[in-house]
Amino acid sequence: MAAPLLANLSESLGSPEPAVRLMLSILIGYPCALVYRKYLFYQTATVINLFHAISGLALAAFNFGPQIYHSAVCVLVQFLMMRLMGRTVTTVLSSFTFQMVYLLAGYYYTATEEYDIKWTMPHCVLTLKLVGLSFDYYDGGKEPSELSAEQKKSALPSVPSLLEVCGFSYFYGGFLVGPQFTLRSYQKLLAGELTDSPGKPPNSVTPAMKRFALGFLCLTIYTIFSPYYPDSYFLTDEFEAQPFWYRCVFVLIWAKVILYKYVSCWVIAEGVCILSGLGYNGVVDGEHRWDACANMKVWVFETAPLFGGTISSFNINTNAWVARHVFKRLKFLGNKTLSHVTTLLFLTVWHGLHSGYLLCFSMEFFIITVERQALALVKDSPLLTKLANSPLYPLIYLVQQFFHWLFMGYPLCCRSVCLFTFDKWLKVYTSIYFCGHVFFLVAYLAMPHLRKALVPRKERSEIKQD
């Protein structure tokens, strides 16, 4: 009975059935959170874990059928490694190796030339969650003086039970599309600590509904405009026949539209976490905050004229996970740039095996490097500083936004759902003359000469001494 209904719904929406199942599953998180608030808030941790594990497994089965055994195997193996190996480096390395190899094997054996919603999609979220769990368990065995403030918050004082690991892994608010959160945060949820009313369910309905409304708005924008800006258009003869300026503008608008797909899922899922209480983030300046599970800063994402601002406001919890468990733990390398490159390489592999991901993240590194040099140039040059603070700035801002989103869309082309294989992204970049690569290469090579021309000699010598 459900299959024909879903088929009809997907046909009327013009969306693939797996995408409809996914969105319905995210939305089902809201009634699940209401059930938890109404009937389970005062129950024992065992009862709550059972509810979270069973409801999450049901949603996984609804989307992926018998393939849910992949996640079950990884959860069980993770628990056994912690239980049998203890708080050792071997546990961390074994967890990292097993979980990543399992994920990459999944990518390899299920790979197609299209992006399909299959079991590997939530599994990449689960992989980070389980690897992070091993790090937090390992940190729990260290002396507090050896841990950073961030690590102290997430370090686990004891090995969790299998049921607790299942509840944490399959929690309906984060299993399918994220966000990432620590087991310590989840344990606080079980203990009823994540609330603005001690001893009572949190007053989080209004903030949750605000995030739902915002997510639904983003989903509406994507649904309306995505048919006009399909990925497949990049590969057509019609696109190649368009004037160069048109192709550039298409890339810009396409990037804005395509990203709403991710924004909508993350913001709606965040609303589920807020409703359950997991999104509670304490009191700041006398106000209760509900952004502990925020994966998007939508206003910053829309208004920031810089690549760094957009990246920092997008997929926030995943970026925080990578910073905490990869970038900062590479401090022993003694080189921040090398740590950054290694972190981006990890993200590349975690996203998938297609060459487009490698090109995208290498381009991101190059863009951020040039942007930092440009910002330093503006700061150090009296002329550029004066111009940036002049009445002309609104016009400068518009120009910034145009190039910002043009070159945000540029690397996204090679990690798009239809364009991440070599032959396809090469065709797209050839059709726009590799303009992004050329622009940033020229900017990178020109930066020393611009600094010499625009920064006074005295300022340059001081900078060099510093």
Side-chain angles (χ1 to χ4, degrees), residues 3 72 132 139 150-151 205 228 273 334 346 381 385 392 415 435 457:
D139 289 341
E150 195 175 37
Q151 289 171 338
V205 174
Y228 298 100
C273 295
F346 168 78
S381 168
T385 300
L392 290 175
R415 61 171 286 189
C435 63
R457 184 180 298 274

Side-chain angles (χ1 to χ4, degrees), residues 211 265-274 290-291 293-296:
R211 298 309 278 178
C265 289
W266 288 334
V267 174
I268 292 174
E270 181 195 344
V272 176
C273 295
I274 292 172
W290 301 96
D291 57 356
C293 293
N295 235 0
M296 286 294 308

Side-chain angles (χ1 to χ4, degrees), residues 131-159:
V131 171
L133 182 60
S134 68
F135 275 114
D136 294 338
Y137 180 55
Y138 173 69
D139 289 341
K142 293 182 178 180
E143 291 296 324
S145 59
E146 298 179 89
L147 302 176
S148 67
E150 195 175 37
Q151 289 171 338
K152 288 177 183 177
K153 286 183 179 180
S154 57
L156 294 170
S158 61
V159 62

Side-chain angles (χ1 to χ4, degrees), residues 20 42 50 56 61 74 79 113 116 138 178 205 236 277 286 335 346 356 366 392 399 409 414-415 437 458:
V20 174
Y42 299 104
L50 276 171
C74 289
F79 170 76
E113 291 194 356
D116 306 313
Y138 173 69
V205 174
T236 63
N335 187 305
F346 168 78
F366 194 34
L392 290 175
V399 174
C414 59
R415 61 171 286 189
H437 290 80
K458 181 182 177 182

Side-chain angles (χ1 to χ4, degrees), residues 64-91:
F64 311 111
Q67 291 179 328
I68 62 171
Y69 78 85
H70 292 291
S71 61
V73 166
C74 289
V75 169
L76 178 60
V77 170
Q78 182 65 44
F79 170 76
L80 291 174
M81 283 192 289
M82 292 190 298
R83 178 69 75 177
L84 300 176
M85 295 182 181
R87 302 178 190 273
T88 62
V89 174
T90 304
T91 303

Side-chain angles (χ1 to χ4, degrees), residues 196-231:
D196 57 338
S197 301
K200 298 179 181 179
N203 297 302
S204 57
V205 174
T206 298
M209 290 303 101
K210 286 181 179 178
R211 298 309 278 178
F212 169 78
L214 180 59
F216 189 77
L217 174 62
C218 294
L219 180 62
T220 302
I221 293 172
Y222 173 75
T223 303
I224 292 173
F225 291 102
S226 60
Y228 298 100
Y229 298 94
D231 302 358

